Amino acid sequence: MIKLLQGNEACAYAALAAGVRFFAGYPITPSTEIAEIMSMELPKRGGKFIQMEDELASMAAIIGGSLGGLKSMTATSGPGLSLMQENIGYASITETPTLIVNVQRGGPSTGLPTMPSQSDIMAAKWGSHGDHPIIVTYPHTVPEIYNETIRSVYLSEKYRVPVILLLDEVIGHMREKIEIPDENTIEKFDRKVPTVPNDWFFPFEGNLEGVPPFASFGEGYRYHVTGLVHDVDGFPTSKHSQIERFMNRLIGKIDNNVNDILKWEEYNMEDAEYAILAAGCIARTARDTIKVLREKGIKIGLIRPVTIWPFMEQPLINATKKIKKLFVPELNLGMLSLEANRVLKGKLEVCPYNKINGEIIYPSELEKFIEEEI
Amino acid sequence: MIEQSVVHKYLRKNKKFPHIWCPGCGHGVIMGSLLRAIDKMGVDRNNVAVISGIGCSSRTPTYLDFNTLHTTHGRALAFATGVKLARPDMLVIVVMGDGDAVGIGGNHFIHAARRNMDLKVVVYNNNIYGMTGGQASPTTPSGKKATTARYGNIERSFDICDLARSTGANYVARATSYHVKQLENYIYKSFNKKGFTVVEAVTHCPTTYGRLNSLKEPVAGMEFQKNNFIMKNLWDKLSDEEKQVKFPMGEFVDVDKEGFVTKYLNLIESVRQGD
Ligand SMILES: Cc1ncc(C[n+]2csc(CCOP(=O)(O)OP(=O)(O)O)c2C)c(N)n1
Ligand code: SF4
């Protein structure tokens, strides 16, 4: 079915198609449409929606829902993401699949509720105390929001980690043509469940990928879930060898499976001498800029992370081997460029282009900047 | 001996004891009442969840052979809301300390009550933050000492039962770690009710509250409860002066307003029929 949908709408319908059956949230611009759609659509599918008293509670409730056996999600924006941080860490350490949609707005604090910003790129990765595994995805068009929402649910279930889907305000609220498949044709990726009897079950023993099979509450496996560091049996431990084994497996779920988790796009990179690294709505600016610059004879291409965390370290190194300069336009003071510098270790000049006045970056200004730098 | 075996039936065999509680702590007494009440229900233990926050009291689930969830400080009710909505048939019990329930978690407490969410709450009220070493909690009585109220608490304290009653709970009762029979009965009764229920279990903490407030010996804490907690109908007849030093216990609310889960399941039904 061809439709004209907002990014936020595409996200909600994709989540339903992926089998999300529990949503808990708290209203916040520019994400609220997602909650509104879920409140209307979930009961039709036998699912549950609840508006909680705040975002701490929303994050807590979806972890509970997920442990109860339902694919669960919430949606928020900057201030709400800040409130969710403690429980995002809880989802990480208890390995509870959860999807957190963060439609970014300008910060800090209440910031710019209705204007675009990409300033949560670091908060999405680091926003919770302690080393914690997390996956962050970052689509750039309405159709891609649909696909990435489904992939995010899948990744979160497969690796038992919280996944943050980062959206830009301008795409969350923009309408684009999208072909929506029949909801029933979308694969639902059922969780891997244990097959051994209760007495033999070690709830936190990883499989080959480091991921333990998931027993929902009420299925006969009466085990313990805690935010304290725990051993394979689920009980808190203070033995250094067990702590080390646990932490290594927890972090290893991401580190050892990056090839499966990473996704990126290269555009006009075959013969490129220069490249732009950009994500979300700014990748669209970059695409338009590249067209114009190519007409002027400048060989330039785009590298666009779709999975933004874990970061595309090796793919970026590979893609920039023959590149003379890397331009990094973004709506913050240099988060992607910081990461690019970390990965490229000074082997390539990274030129940031930053804007934090609540406007997007226009192709004309990026074009001018790049021409001056070349 | 019979009593002991009921409790042991529900203790985890694969969890290495000892537990973390201090000798003489009242938390274990409350856990015993809780287990006897669950036993009386005769439910399949696979269909019971025990959910807690953070604190000495919140360690209870660790030792119990049910679906157990030890969450973050103050948030147990929000986690439990998710579990209950995903598993409407499950008996979802939430155990919290006073700080957990009405301090850091106060907002969740009043909203879970307002929604009449079908959760069975047992608050272990030791009038102090036990786990972190005896800081003042929202239920530390005015004038009493804590490690962050060395000169006596100048704040007023919450009455947990009053709070639960005024925010809409279906069932509210109070007993103490001395009055174990009543405690067990109230917990059992709350399990049989729909909607949000709160049993406040007043408990003694010899290590922190007791040490700071001349109730250092566990027995002194229980004697205080024995001498000063009286049934509500008798308490009501006391003079205003006497009411300052005695505390009411018993059942404060016992009504049957429709719980959230029933309402939501009905909503699903009617939306689907309308399709
Ligand atoms: C967000 C957060 N803040 C503070 C703490 C530290 N902390 C752990 S237990 C606790 C107090 C617990 O007191 P209470 O809930 O009354 O339970 P008790 O230990 O007395 O049984 C505090 C403040 C924490 N774990 N998390
Ligand atoms: S500090 Fe108090 S509440 Fe905590 S275990 Fe010791 S006696 Fe019990």
Side-chain angles (χ1 to χ4, degrees):
Chain A
M1 200 189 338
I2 305 236
K3 285 204 157 187
L4 189 65
L5 283 190
Q6 258 192 1
N8 284 350
E9 291 170 340
C11 176
Y13 288 111
L16 291 164
V20 168
R21 287 296 175 267
F22 183 58
F23 184 103
Y26 189 82
I28 185 165
T29 306
S31 77
T32 309
E33 294 84 2
I34 300 174
E36 289 171 345
I37 293 169
M38 295 310 260
S39 89
M40 193 165 68
E41 296 297 329
L42 274 170
K44 293 183 192 167
R45 293 162 179 79
K48 321 269 166 49
F49 167 92
I50 186 165
Q51 182 173 321
M52 294 301 286
E53 49 275 18
D54 58 31
E55 288 87 347
L56 292 117
S58 305
M59 188 63 212
I62 67 167
I63 295 170
S66 185
L67 284 168
L70 300 182
K71 289 189 184 126
S72 301
M73 76 180 279
T74 186
T76 190
S77 187
L81 185 72
S82 290
L83 286 187
M84 286 177 186
Q85 290 192 2
E86 187 189 10
N87 287 336
I88 289 175
Y90 187 88
S92 279
I93 198 172
T94 59
E95 305 180 62
T96 313
T98 37
L99 174 65
I100 303 117
V101 181
N102 177 31
V103 192
Q104 294 170 92
R105 60 198 248 176
S109 190
T110 311
L112 300 165
T114 59
M115 292 183 193
S117 160
Q118 300 184 311
S119 52
D120 296 348
I121 288 176
M122 288 297 176
K125 162 76 177 159
W126 303 107
S128 191
H129 58 281
D131 289 308
H132 62 283
I134 195 152
I135 295 172
V136 184
T137 52
Y138 203 165
H140 80 316
T141 62
V142 171
E144 194 178 44
I145 288 177
Y146 193 90
N147 294 335
E148 281 306 299
T149 303
I150 292 173
R151 192 173 74 98
S152 297
V153 172
Y154 166 68
L155 287 173
S156 131
E157 296 284 332
K158 179 168 182 189
Y159 293 106
R160 293 188 61 174
V161 289
V163 174
I164 297 183
L165 178 76
L166 278 185
L167 297 185
D168 287 316
E169 186 277 337
V170 279
I171 304 176
H173 279 163
M174 183 180 68
R175 286 182 193 278
E176 251 179 322
K177 196 173 88 174
I178 168 175
E179 179 159 4
I180 300 211
D182 177 355
E183 196 171 313
N184 299 317
T185 64
I186 305 280
E187 208 190 320
K188 297 286 185 281
F189 327 110
D190 284 331
R191 291 174 176 173
K192 281 217 179 73
V193 296
T195 47
V196 297
N198 189 13
D199 287 349
W200 301 359
F201 180 51
F202 287 99
F204 294 95
E205 190 173 52
N207 64 7
L208 281 178
E209 281 141 347
V211 187
F214 193 111
S216 300
F217 274 17
E219 298 290 313
Y221 297 96
R222 298 180 306 275
Y223 63 105
H224 187 56
V225 179
T226 176
L228 288 163
V229 170
H230 42 273
D231 196 24
V232 290
D233 57 10
F235 297 115
T237 178
S238 43
K239 288 202 182 98
H240 300 299
S241 59
Q242 292 179 350
I243 296 170
E244 194 167 324
R245 175 170 68 171
F246 173 74
M247 287 306 294
N248 285 342
R249 182 180 65 71
L250 198 69
I251 302 298
K253 288 194 299 184
I254 305 287
D255 287 358
N256 302 332
N257 298 295
V258 273
N259 291 339
D260 183 42
I261 298 167
L262 279 186
K263 188 173 165 189
W264 74 94
E265 186 202 10
E266 293 177 22
Y267 167 74
N268 275 350
M269 285 298 292
E270 300 76 19
D271 61 345
E273 293 172 3
Y274 299 95
I276 302 176
L277 174 70
C281 66
I282 301 306
R284 302 172 71 126
T285 303
R287 217 183 271 273
D288 285 355
T289 311
I290 287 166
K291 279 185 200 137
V292 178
L293 289 175
R294 285 234 164 216
E295 275 165 21
K296 293 184 179 175
I298 299 170
K299 289 185 176 160
I300 186 164
L302 170 70
I303 304 164
R304 180 175 72 87
V306 182
T307 300
I308 198 158
W309 300 110
F311 192 67
M312 46 178 295
E313 298 187 9
Q314 200 53 48
L316 182 67
I317 293 171
N318 296 345
T320 52
K321 278 199 175 121
K322 293 188 185 128
I323 295 299
K324 293 183 195 152
K325 258 187 188 182
L326 182 67
F327 300 98
V328 189
E330 50 187 327
L331 298 181
N332 59 54
L333 288 181
M335 296 184 183
L336 263 185
S337 63
L338 183 70
E339 190 60 12
N341 267 320
R342 183 185 72 79
V343 169
L344 299 170
K345 297 188 171 72
K347 286 183 196 126
L348 173 64
E349 191 185 342
V350 174
C351 305
Y353 184 82
N354 310 108
K355 200 168 176 184
I356 53 166
N357 68 352
E359 270 183 317
I360 58 158
I361 296 171
Y362 295 102
S364 53
E365 56 182 306
L366 187 58
E367 180 195 331
K368 192 163 158 252
F369 171 74
I370 292 174
E371 277 184 322
E372 278 167 14
E373 288 286 329
I374 286 175
Chain B
M1 283 315 282
I2 290 166
E3 286 279 282
Q4 196 191 39
S5 72
V6 169
V7 168
H8 282 178
K9 212 162 107 185
Y10 298 99
L11 295 181
R12 275 190 160 124
K13 317 253 173 325
N14 56 351
K15 167 71 192 137
K16 290 165 228 76
F17 280 81
H19 54 69
I20 66 150
W21 294 322
C22 305
C25 175
H27 286 355
V29 177
I30 299 171
M31 188 177 86
S33 296
L34 175 75
L35 289 177
R36 285 187 292 273
I38 295 176
D39 189 62
K40 250 200 254 172
M41 291 292 290
V43 285
D44 174 3
R45 67 175 87 184
N46 289 320
N47 214 23
V48 177
V50 186
I51 301 179
S52 68
I54 297 289
C56 300
S57 36
S58 287
R59 288 299 181 103
T60 303
T62 320
Y63 312 119
L64 306 185
D65 188 10
F66 301 105
N67 304 281
T68 58
L69 182 58
H70 176 230
T71 70
T72 48
H73 192 26
R75 319 295 165 203
L77 285 167
F79 282 86
T81 295
V83 172
K84 183 68 190 179
L85 289 176
R87 296 267 163 183
D89 295 332
M90 195 173 260
L91 175 63
V92 180
I93 301 163
V94 183
V95 300
M96 296 176 282
D98 43 296
D100 208 48
V102 299
I104 189 168
N107 200 29
H108 310 307
F109 187 88
I110 61 177
H111 288 285
R114 175 182 62 79
R115 291 186 187 107
N116 209 12
M117 188 57 68
D118 302 63
L119 301 172
K120 310 292 110 189
V121 175
V122 180
V123 183
Y124 295 31
N125 182 6
N126 57 8
N127 304 105
I128 204 138
Y129 286 172
M131 176 154 268
T132 39
Q135 299 76 27
S137 99
T139 63
T140 303
S142 301
K144 294 296 177 191
K145 289 191 176 138
T147 56
T148 49
R150 289 286 179 186
Y151 307 107
N153 184 19
I154 59 169
E155 297 185 19
R156 293 183 295 178
S157 64
F158 261 144
D159 179 324
I160 294 174
C161 289
D162 264 358
L163 190 64
R165 175 174 54 191
S166 58
T167 48
N170 251 358
Y171 181 81
V172 181
R174 175 188 290 135
T176 78
S177 45
Y178 173 79
H179 301 91
V180 281
K181 265 288 159 206
Q182 288 94 323
L183 186 59
E184 176 188 326
N185 283 340
Y186 299 155
I187 296 175
Y188 174 67
K189 203 160 160 196
S190 76
F191 287 170
N192 284 293
K193 294 194 66 88
K194 297 236 175 223
F196 193 70
T197 67
V198 176
V199 176
E200 178 187 350
V202 175
T203 170
H204 58 286
C205 162
T207 307
T208 69
Y209 187 83
R211 188 168 41 84
L212 292 160
N213 293 288
S214 322
L215 295 167
K216 205 164 81 187
E217 297 302 323
V219 176
M222 294 181 94
E223 256 171 2
F224 178 85
Q225 296 166 356
K226 179 182 164 192
N227 297 331
N228 296 295
F229 281 79
I230 49 181
M231 292 307 289
K232 186 186 162 293
N233 53 341
L234 299 175
W235 185 84
D236 283 338
K237 294 189 188 116
L238 297 179
S239 70
D240 285 350
E241 244 162 64
E242 286 170 313
K243 279 182 178 165
Q244 295 299 313
V245 289
K246 302 280 178 195
F247 307 94
M249 56 177 266
E251 295 172 294
F252 300 97
V253 178
D254 186 357
V255 296
D256 287 303
K257 288 170 286 183
E258 204 168 42
F260 183 96
V261 171
T262 313
K263 281 192 184 171
Y264 203 92
L265 294 179
N266 288 342
L267 180 144
I268 290 178
E269 193 83 354
S270 70
V271 169
R272 292 190 126 176
Q273 269 165 13
D275 262 1

